[in-house]
Amino acid sequence: MRSDKKVKLARLRHQRIRKKISGTKDRPRMAVRFTNEHIYVQFIDDASGVTVASASTMHKSVPDRAKLAANAAGAKKIGALAAEAAKGKGISSVVFDRSGSRYHGKVKALADAAREAGLKF
């Protein structure tokens, strides 16, 4: 279990990032969240408070979802699937929200896969 200090610092990093970025209808916020087992990606219009599209390792439409994990290989697959879900809703440009995580490893793999699939950050 994480210590209270780590949780507090993670929350502060997340708040520091969120006060600088915001999603709109034309350019929604691509919020990425990693847990120990799963990866979640949401495309959020903050102006109206609506989730436009989403993808995760738990979606039933994801092929071989039992084999996906919250690692760099899983992040690449989910990044590509998230980009396809966004393109299906007419989204081509997003604001990337890494939710307080460092931009390396899993987060970077997901972002690169989404860029390769056609999303613009």
Side-chain angles (χ1 to χ4, degrees):
M1 192 154 152
R2 297 178 78 177
S3 68
D4 290 339
K5 185 174 182 179
K6 282 189 177 187
V7 171
K8 183 179 178 183
L9 291 174
R11 190 174 299 131
L12 287 172
R13 278 193 308 273
H14 180 68
Q15 290 172 349
R16 191 168 49 240
I17 292 167
R18 278 290 291 125
K19 71 180 175 183
K20 296 175 187 174
I21 63 174
S22 179
T24 63
K25 184 178 179 182
D26 298 328
R27 194 168 178 215
R29 175 170 53 99
M30 180 179 175
V32 176
R33 180 73 178 134
F34 289 88
T35 64
N36 287 335
E37 298 178 8
H38 298 289
I39 302 169
Y40 305 93
V41 179
Q42 289 182 323
F43 297 92
I44 304 168
D45 176 8
D46 289 316
S48 59
V50 175
T51 298
V52 181
S54 66
S56 76
T57 55
M58 295 180 64
H59 276 189
K60 292 181 180 180
S61 62
V62 175
D64 295 333
R65 67 181 174 154
K67 295 180 182 178
L68 290 178
N71 55 21
K76 286 181 184 179
K77 291 179 184 176
I78 295 299
L81 290 171
E84 294 302 320
K87 289 205 165 226
K89 298 286 185 172
I91 300 169
S92 61
S93 179
V94 297
V95 178
F96 190 65
D97 179 9
R98 55 190 172 86
S99 299
S101 302
R102 290 183 181 171
Y103 187 80
H104 74 97
K106 300 184 278 193
V107 178
K108 186 174 188 298
L110 189 138
D112 290 342
R115 279 192 190 105
E116 289 173 7
L119 282 182
K120 294 180 183 175
F121 289 35

